[in-house]
Amino acid sequence: MFKLILKRFKTLIPMLVIISIISFGLLELAPGDPSDAYITPLMSYEEIENIKSNMGLDKPVYVRYINWVKNTLTGDLGVSYINHAPVAEQVMEKFENTLVLMGTSLIVSIAISIPMGILFAVKKNSIISKIGAIINNIGVSIPSFWIGMILIGIFSVNLGMFPTGGMHSIGNDSFLDLAKHLVLPVITISLYNIAVFTNYVETSVSQELKKQYVITARAKGFSQGVVLFKHVLINSLTSIITILGMSIQRLVTGAFVTEVVFAWPGMGRLMIDSIFSRDYPMIMAITMMSALFLILGNLIADILYIVVDPKVRANKGGF
């Protein structure tokens, strides 16, 4: 396992370098200029050049990229073009908020999708399974922003049961108030996740139920519960690990659209605001953080595969 970790870390730096070059280049090719927000028609050429110099935009793109790399390696992610505050502080503040939203959604999704996936696999070709397939298709197909707006219209505007958005009510930082603000965005995100996760679990459990060891266990008189939870579910852990690996990066980026719809002060909303305002340092910081967590998520998934699956452990050379 240690060889696997070392091998993955060797590929980590080149991947991040390639992603950073592509991201920096795309920002350079994007129409417009970050300094446009500060330039007025009455400004002189010298004033315009002074603004660009203060923002570091007067240097060639390769020089700006090298300077960005040097500063990033020292932990300096730059200063926001919009509010002139350190990018690192703002990113970490928003990351905590996104972690609350996405972490809650992930827990809810897994807690619901695993038993649902097992149920649909056991009741294959039954009415329950067919209804579940329809629900899953709906959950995957319907855009999250539409679901969010429908939930706001019904439960916030018409019924007044939950807030329309935000993370806290003004002057109220209690856990109960946070929980009320979490309900609708968590439902919005979880509907999609539950549909995807349930399909993974159902497929994996269905495949396990067809194997010889299950037939043998049933022939020995083991109950359905013992066969499912002591044998099948354990051997289906790879699908659950796949789910976790897929979900880790979303803890960083969050559901961009969902955070915007519900005015949730997280990474997703910060990224959207930064794109519209051409806040390049903020965009680069969030992009690289997302890429890092995507790679780490895949690494953690590989490690968990080795831990739970002896065959994979043998192929990888053990620990």
Side-chain angles (χ1 to χ4, degrees), residues 263-278:
W264 188 269
M267 294 276 288
R269 187 184 178 193
L270 178 62
M271 182 65 158
I272 297 297
D273 293 341
S274 300
I275 291 173
F276 281 111
S277 58
R278 299 191 183 116

Side-chain angles (χ1 to χ4, degrees), residues 94-95 98 101-102 105 143-146 185 188-189 192-193 249-276 282-291:
K94 302 302 182 181
F95 170 68
T98 292
L101 175 60
M102 298 307 298
S105 302
S144 58
F145 74 88
W146 188 84
T188 301
I189 298 171
Y192 174 83
N193 287 341
Q249 69 270 22
R250 295 192 69 189
L251 293 177
V252 182
T253 59
F256 281 19
V257 176
T258 303
E259 289 191 353
V260 172
V261 169
F262 289 96
W264 188 269
M267 294 276 288
R269 187 184 178 193
L270 178 62
M271 182 65 158
I272 297 297
D273 293 341
S274 300
I275 291 173
F276 281 111
M282 191 71 70
I283 295 173
M284 285 298 299
I286 298 176
T287 300
M288 297 310 298
M289 193 172 183
S290 303

Side-chain angles (χ1 to χ4, degrees), residues 9-176:
F9 270 108
K10 287 181 179 179
T11 62
L12 176 64
I13 295 178
M15 289 180 67
L16 290 176
V17 170
I18 293 173
I19 292 171
S20 67
I21 292 174
I22 294 175
S23 301
F24 210 92
L26 289 175
L27 290 177
E28 182 66 20
L29 294 174
D33 190 289
S35 62
D36 292 344
Y38 303 94
I39 296 175
T40 64
L42 299 179
M43 284 185 176
S44 63
Y45 175 80
E46 290 75 13
E47 290 174 324
I48 294 175
E49 290 300 311
N50 186 47
I51 290 176
K52 291 186 175 182
S53 176
N54 291 335
M55 299 178 72
L57 299 174
D58 58 328
K59 300 179 179 62
V61 61
Y62 67 90
V63 174
R64 285 188 278 125
Y65 174 75
I66 293 173
N67 291 337
W68 175 83
V69 171
K70 291 179 180 178
N71 294 332
T72 300
L73 292 176
T74 62
D76 181 10
L77 299 180
V79 177
S80 170
Y81 287 162
I82 305 304
N83 53 29
H84 309 292
V87 169
E89 295 180 5
Q90 297 178 76
V91 168
M92 291 310 299
E93 178 185 353
K94 302 302 182 181
F95 170 68
E96 294 175 0
N97 298 338
T98 292
L99 190 62
V100 171
L101 175 60
M102 298 307 298
T104 305
S105 302
L106 181 60
I107 293 172
V108 171
S109 301
I110 292 177
I112 295 176
S113 60
I114 291 178
M116 282 182 61
I118 296 173
L119 177 63
F120 296 158
V122 173
K123 301 292 184 179
K124 201 72 173 178
N125 298 322
S126 66
I127 296 178
I128 294 177
S129 177
K130 293 176 181 179
I131 293 174
I134 294 173
I135 295 174
N136 287 342
N137 289 331
I138 293 175
V140 173
S141 303
I142 298 179
S144 58
F145 74 88
W146 188 84
I147 295 176
M149 289 189 292
I150 292 297
L151 292 176
I152 290 174
I154 296 174
F155 295 101
S156 297
V157 178
N158 294 334
L159 300 179
M161 295 175 60
F162 300 105
T164 57
M167 187 173 178
H168 287 285
S169 300
I170 298 177
N172 188 349
D173 295 332
S174 66
F175 175 79
L176 181 60

Side-chain angles (χ1 to χ4, degrees), residues 219-253:
K220 291 181 178 180
F222 289 112
S223 66
Q224 180 81 330
V226 172
V227 173
L228 280 174
F229 295 101
K230 190 175 181 180
H231 300 285
V232 173
L233 186 58
I234 292 176
N235 290 319
S236 301
L237 284 177
T238 51
S239 64
I240 300 173
I241 292 171
T242 301
I243 291 171
L244 292 173
M246 292 167 53
S247 304
I248 288 178
Q249 69 270 22
R250 295 192 69 189
L251 293 177
V252 182
T253 59

Side-chain angles (χ1 to χ4, degrees), residues 291-310:
L292 177 62
F293 270 77
L294 173 60
I295 297 171
L296 291 178
N298 292 331
L299 174 60
I300 292 172
D302 284 342
I303 294 173
L304 292 176
Y305 280 135
I306 296 174
V307 172
V308 303
D309 194 334

